[in-house]
């Protein structure tokens, strides 16, 4: 018995890495049955995503702006932080209540770059190389839309889209793009990754995608 216990302790880190590997790539949500998910189900539209940290992460605001601006992680951390505690609702049906997010209001980054009059929308690019999302300019300027650096009172993990992800509190979670690295001002709304497969462009919880979920709060 002592030998089995020692073997379990030694194997623990390897087993946890195996679980993380499965949950970070499972599009079905079945991995939510595994321990450690916290109620979340992990999605990625690519096989693997490179990790970035303080030494190599950048976020660029460009497009129809007065000046393109690039922020390093330390720059974002030095800006005024806003904390939001809100439910997370996935369009596939699961919900996690009362999730804290903390970061920089997207509107502050738009103001830093200077939005040109021709811009009416914002496109978000991600360093996974495939995912994208968009909002109208009015939606992007809401107080509950963050460039999030922290989630559940700790830095956003790689599996959750860190070190920086978008968080759009009143919309289904597919709008909250993970692994965010580009914010581009555009003349019109451009459909995001899932919207090419039939998801609604305007993704208000309970008022889109044919669903009647209670609004997140």
């Amino acid at each position: 018995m002592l030998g089995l216990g020692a073997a379990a302790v030694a194997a623990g880190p390897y087993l946890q890495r195996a679980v993380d590997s499965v949950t970070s790539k499972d599009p079905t949500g079945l991995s939510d049955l595994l321990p450690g998910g916290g109620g979340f189900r992990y999605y990625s539209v690519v096989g693997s995503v490179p990790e970035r940290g303080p030494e190599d992460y950048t976020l660029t605001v460009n497009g129809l702006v007065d000046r393109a601006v690039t922020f390093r992680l330390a720059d974002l951390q030095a800006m005024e932080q806003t904390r939001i505690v809100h439910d997370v609702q996935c369009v596939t049906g699961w919900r996690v209540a009362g999730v804290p997010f903390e970061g920089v209001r997207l509107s502050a980054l738009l103001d830093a770059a200077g939005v040109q009059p021709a811009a009416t929308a914002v496109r978000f690019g991600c360093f996974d190389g495939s995912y994208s999302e968009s909002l109208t300019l009015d939606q992007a300027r809401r107080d509950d839309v963050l460039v999030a650096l922290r989630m559940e009172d700790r830095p956003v993990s790689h599996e959750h889209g860190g070190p920086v992800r978008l968080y759009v509190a009143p919309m289904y979670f597919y709008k909250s793009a993970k692994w965010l690295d580009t914010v581009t001002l555009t003349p019109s709304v451009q459909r995001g990754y899932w919207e090419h497969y039939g998801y609604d462009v305007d993704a208000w919880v309970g008022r889109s995608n044919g669903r009647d979920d209670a609004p997140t709060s």
Side-chain angles (χ1 to χ4, degrees), residues 21-72:
S21 177
V22 170
T23 58
S24 66
K25 300 178 179 65
D26 174 24
T28 68
L30 294 176
S31 59
D32 187 45
L33 300 175
L34 296 171
F40 288 93
R41 303 177 188 182
Y42 302 99
Y43 302 92
S44 172
V45 300
V46 299
S48 63
V49 182
E51 295 196 31
R52 295 188 183 177
E55 68 286 346
D56 59 358
Y57 177 79
T58 59
L59 174 64
T60 298
V61 183
N62 58 19
L64 296 174
V65 296
D66 295 334
R67 55 202 166 272
V69 183
T70 296
F71 300 90
R72 298 187 66 83

Side-chain angles (χ1 to χ4, degrees), residues 194-200 209:
W194 285 115
E195 287 136 24
H196 286 283
Y197 295 94
Y199 284 35
D200 285 356
N209 292 285

